[in-house]
């Protein structure tokens, strides 16, 4: 079974530039998550999709971050404009149902460096 | 106070030793608990769920103490390959089942 795919794996940009990340979840998984993980910290949930609807985006900085999951499969996360503090690993995860206790499967992440 | 707290470590442990670490949570309505393992520069992977009665998987034992609001992870006969960061995850019904992650405990097994 193919795992969660993410691209790019690494990205370096200057502050105020824009960047987009892509995620392809495990086939058939209803729920998709985007996390931000800053070095030395645990993952912080940015947004959770159930199929193509948003379940939770309470911690998404909506003035600069946006995400969509068209057709309930692939998803993109965009940052515009980027700030220095956005430097982090952006992890995408998917789970079969998204209910409490459902195992999350993570992609390899995109390591973003903002200069 | 953070919702989920872990000792960041690192715990430096000789190979073959037993090591244990805890994760405390602040929300008494928390109902699901997990341990994830994250290798350096890799993504987190589920290690084990934590059940009310405790559970064991080989050398790993997880326990839940609801009264004191913490979960624990015990690793027996530690291997070099156990070196990683161990993240605890807590789910609370009253937070819309959002997963709350600890910052992780770093474990280093030395030969």
């Amino acid at each position: 079974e193919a795992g969660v795919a993410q691209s790019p794996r690494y990205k370096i940009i200057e502050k105020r530039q824009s960047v987009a990340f892509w995620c392809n979840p495990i086939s058939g998984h209803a729920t998709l998550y985007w996390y931000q993980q800053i070095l030395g910290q645990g993952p912080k949930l940015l947004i959770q999709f159930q199929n193509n609807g948003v379940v939770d985006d309470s911690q998404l900085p909506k003035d600069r971050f946006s995400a969509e999951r068209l057709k309930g499969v692939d998803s993109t996360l965009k940052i515009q404009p980027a700030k220095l503090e956005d430097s982090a690993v952006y992890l995408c995860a998917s789970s079969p149902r998204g209910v409490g206790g459902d195992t999350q499967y993570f992609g390899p992440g995109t390591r973003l460096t903002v200069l | 106070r953070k919702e989920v707290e872990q000792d960041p470590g690192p715990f430096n442990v000789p190979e073959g030793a037993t090591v244990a670490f805890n994760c405390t949570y602040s929300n008494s309505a928390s109902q699901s608990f997990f341990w994830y393992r994250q290798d350096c520069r890799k993504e987190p992977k589920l290690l084990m769920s934590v059940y009310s009665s405790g559970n064991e998987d080989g050398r790993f034992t997880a326990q839940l103490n609801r009264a004191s609001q913490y979960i624990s992870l015990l690793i027996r006969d530690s291997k070099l390959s156990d070196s990683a960061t161990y993240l605890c995850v807590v789910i609370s019904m009253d937070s819309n089942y959002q997963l709350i992650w600890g910052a992780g405990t770093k474990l280093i097994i030395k030969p």
Side-chain angles (χ1 to χ4, degrees), chain A residues 52-103:
Chain A
N52 61 349
V54 175
V55 173
D56 185 350
D57 63 356
S58 57
Q59 298 192 88
L60 186 73
K62 298 180 184 65
D63 57 334
R64 298 184 301 106
F65 286 64
S66 64
E68 59 182 9
R69 190 185 184 195
L70 298 176
K71 300 180 182 179
V73 182
D74 293 7
S75 177
T76 56
L77 176 69
K78 296 179 182 178
I79 307 175
Q80 180 179 14
K83 293 185 176 181
L84 296 177
E85 59 261 35
D86 298 333
S87 294
V89 176
Y90 290 84
L91 294 162
C92 178
S94 70
S95 63
R97 297 165 297 158
V99 298
D102 213 11
T103 299

Side-chain angles (χ1 to χ4, degrees), chain A residues 35 37 42 56 101 103-104 107, chain B residues 34 36 38 43 46 98-99 102:
Chain A
Y35 288 93
Q37 187 173 26
D56 185 350
T103 299
Q104 294 193 5
Chain B
F34 307 88
Y36 276 73
Q38 186 170 26
E43 70 273 20
L46 179 66
Q98 184 183 106
L99 277 72

Side-chain angles (χ1 to χ4, degrees), chain A residues 13-25:
Chain A
I13 61 173
E14 295 189 348
K15 61 182 179 183
R16 290 188 289 274
Q17 285 188 320
S18 301
V19 65
F21 313 129
W22 174 82
C23 173
N24 186 9

Side-chain angles (χ1 to χ4, degrees), chain A residues 10 33 35 37 40-43 45 55-56 58-59 91 100-104 106-108 111, chain B residues 32 34 36 38 41-46 49 87 91 95-104:
Chain A
Y10 305 91
Y33 311 80
Y35 288 93
Q37 187 173 26
Q41 299 182 18
L45 180 68
V55 173
D56 185 350
S58 57
Q59 298 192 88
L91 294 162
D102 213 11
T103 299
Q104 294 193 5
F106 285 83
R111 187 173 299 273
Chain B
S32 298
F34 307 88
Y36 276 73
Q38 186 170 26
R41 302 179 79 86
K42 298 285 190 180
E43 70 273 20
K45 292 184 179 178
L46 179 66
S49 303
L87 299 152
I91 300 176
S95 65
N96 198 29
Y97 296 105
Q98 184 183 106
L99 277 72
I100 308 297
W101 292 74

